[in-house]
């Protein structure tokens, strides 16, 4: 029944908190691999959490992906008085337009009467283009806003699925397989022990920047992501994990 379901979820939250050593975990019922609306439920949990933590003039950095797109779908004004700035966390990492951070931040800003900035950066970037592009005044200004974001919201992906979605070259795909990559976040690929096995060169938030950001919110769910979540948390710094019941149960089976 309803009460035992609630009790079950909060016990699960406690187990995940202990396992990943986190201060906050929010779990929604269901499996987002099976039902699309579960992603929207994670989205609602995220919006509810954001409402509690935002302060006037906060800048919020957001990655791409279908999970973040679901957060944008269910976004509502965060409060009556303030407006917030939404920025893409990293330069374009090869996603379809609807799943790109640029699209998602514009949607979030529209729904909250906030503002947004875009990053138009090719990916992957060569070293020389990288140096030129970060010195481009418009890019540089956005990069400063990204680096000083108060909140970061990001997804975690299954490494090989993400690599394929990004039309990664055959040679890199083989490299990722050989190095046993299992998870991906922010354009970094990790093995099951959380070691970085590859990094997509682009501008924006780097993994080491996360320690300076007060509110890092990770959103990822579905049985298929249990292993990826376990792997990412061996390396990544997060304040809150928002996930679903199926991913949480799978996570508890992972080492
Ligand atoms: C991407 C993020 O766009 O979304 C990745 O940049 C993340 O870091 C991915 O792995 C997750 O995608 P989805 O569609 O599973 O939410």
């Amino acid at each position: 029944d309803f009460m035992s379901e609630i009790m079950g979820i909060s016990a699960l939250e406690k187990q995940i908190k202990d396992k990943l050593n986190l201060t906050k975990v929010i779990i929604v019922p269901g499996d987002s691999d099976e039902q699309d609306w579960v992603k929207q439920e994670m989205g609602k949990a995220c919006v509810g959490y954001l409402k509690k933590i935002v302060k006037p003039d906060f800048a919020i950095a957001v990655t791409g992906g279908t999970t973040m797109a679901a957060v944008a779908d269910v976004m509502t004004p965060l409060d009556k008085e303030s407006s917030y700035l939404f920025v893409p966390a990293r330069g374009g990492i090869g996603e379809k337009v609807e799943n790109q951070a640029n699209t998602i931040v514009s949607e979030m800003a529209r729904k909250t009467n906030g503002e947004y900035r875009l990053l138009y950066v090719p990916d992957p970037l060569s070293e020389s283009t990288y140096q030129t592009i970060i010195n481009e005044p418009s890019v540089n200004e956005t990069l400063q806003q990204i680096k000083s974001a108060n909140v970061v919201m990001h997804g975690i992906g299954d490494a090989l699925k993400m690599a394929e979605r990004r039309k990664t070259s055959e040679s890199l795909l083989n490299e990722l397989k050989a190095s046993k990559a299992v998870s991906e976040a922010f354009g970094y690929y990790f093995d099951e022990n959380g070691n970085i096995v590859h990094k997509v060169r682009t501008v924006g938030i780097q993994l080491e920047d996360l320690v300076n950001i007060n509110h890092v919110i990770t959103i990822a769910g579905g049985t298929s992501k249990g292993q990826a979540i376990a792997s990412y948390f061996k390396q990544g710094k997060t304040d809150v994990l928002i996930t679903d019941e199926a991913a949480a149960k799978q996570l508890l089976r992972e080492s």
Side-chain angles (χ1 to χ4, degrees), residues 3-134:
M3 270 322 280
S4 62
E5 178 160 338
I6 299 290
M7 303 270 289
I9 293 281
S10 60
L12 203 50
E13 287 175 346
K14 166 102 182 48
Q15 283 174 290
I16 299 294
K17 261 195 336 202
D18 293 347
K19 179 164 177 130
L20 302 180
N21 202 4
L22 288 173
T23 47
K24 187 148 180 72
V25 172
I26 303 173
I27 298 175
V28 305
D31 182 349
S32 45
D33 287 346
E34 305 289 330
Q35 300 118 337
D36 261 349
W37 54 263
V38 179
K39 268 187 195 166
Q40 305 226 334
E41 290 305 308
M42 291 194 289
K44 287 178 198 162
C46 177
V47 173
Y49 182 75
L50 262 184
K51 286 182 182 170
K52 285 190 209 152
I53 59 162
V54 284
K55 301 213 168 67
D57 303 324
F58 259 24
I60 302 168
V62 184
T63 67
T66 57
T67 311
M68 285 302 140
V71 178
D73 268 351
V74 299
M75 186 61 84
T76 54
L78 298 174
D79 74 31
K80 289 187 196 72
E81 292 88 38
S82 313
S83 86
Y84 302 94
L85 175 67
F86 291 87
V87 290
R90 303 253 295 175
I93 21 188
E95 295 258 21
K96 287 202 270 181
V97 165
E98 57 271 36
N99 296 334
Q100 282 174 12
N102 276 340
T103 312
I104 293 170
V105 294
S106 70
E107 178 81 357
M108 289 180 173
R110 186 175 65 78
K111 292 195 164 163
T112 56
N113 308 310
E115 287 181 58
Y116 64 93
R117 300 284 183 276
L118 301 177
L119 257 184
Y120 290 110
V121 179
D123 132 66
L125 275 171
S126 64
E127 182 61 34
S128 61
T129 312
Y130 175 82
Q131 293 304 338
T132 312
I133 226 160
I134 57 173

Side-chain angles (χ1 to χ4, degrees), residues 63-67 93 95 155-157 162 165-166 184-186 225:
T63 67
T66 57
T67 311
I93 21 188
E95 295 258 21
I156 299 175
M162 285 310 298
R165 211 160 92 184
R166 287 174 179 152
E184 184 282 341
F186 298 103
K225 282 194 187 175

Side-chain angles (χ1 to χ4, degrees), residues 81-231:
E81 292 88 38
S82 313
S83 86
Y84 302 94
L85 175 67
F86 291 87
V87 290
R90 303 253 295 175
I93 21 188
E95 295 258 21
K96 287 202 270 181
V97 165
E98 57 271 36
N99 296 334
Q100 282 174 12
N102 276 340
T103 312
I104 293 170
V105 294
S106 70
E107 178 81 357
M108 289 180 173
R110 186 175 65 78
K111 292 195 164 163
T112 56
N113 308 310
E115 287 181 58
Y116 64 93
R117 300 284 183 276
L118 301 177
L119 257 184
Y120 290 110
V121 179
D123 132 66
L125 275 171
S126 64
E127 182 61 34
S128 61
T129 312
Y130 175 82
Q131 293 304 338
T132 312
I133 226 160
I134 57 173
N135 291 315
E136 197 53 51
S138 67
V139 172
N140 196 273
E141 193 196 332
T142 307
L143 282 179
Q144 298 313 321
Q145 288 165 318
I146 293 171
K147 297 273 180 176
S148 56
N150 309 86
V151 180
V152 174
M153 305 197 286
H154 76 97
I156 299 175
D158 171 88
L160 298 182
K161 266 190 220 159
M162 285 310 298
E164 273 162 27
R165 211 160 92 184
R166 287 174 179 152
K167 314 256 181 299
T168 304
S169 70
E170 194 67 31
S171 65
L172 178 53
L173 210 55
N174 289 334
E175 208 182 290
L176 291 172
K177 284 177 191 161
S179 56
K180 301 200 168 68
V182 297
S183 68
E184 184 282 341
F186 298 103
Y188 291 75
Y189 289 85
F190 308 88
D191 67 14
E192 66 173 346
N193 297 315
N195 300 311
I196 299 169
V197 296
H198 178 74
K199 175 185 171 191
V200 177
R201 187 187 350 237
T202 187
V203 297
I205 289 185
Q206 309 297 314
L207 215 52
E208 59 268 24
D209 296 328
L210 295 178
V211 291
N212 302 318
I213 295 172
N214 278 332
H215 304 281
V216 180
I217 308 175
T218 305
I219 314 172
T223 308
S224 65
K225 282 194 187 175
Q227 190 191 24
I229 298 170
S231 144

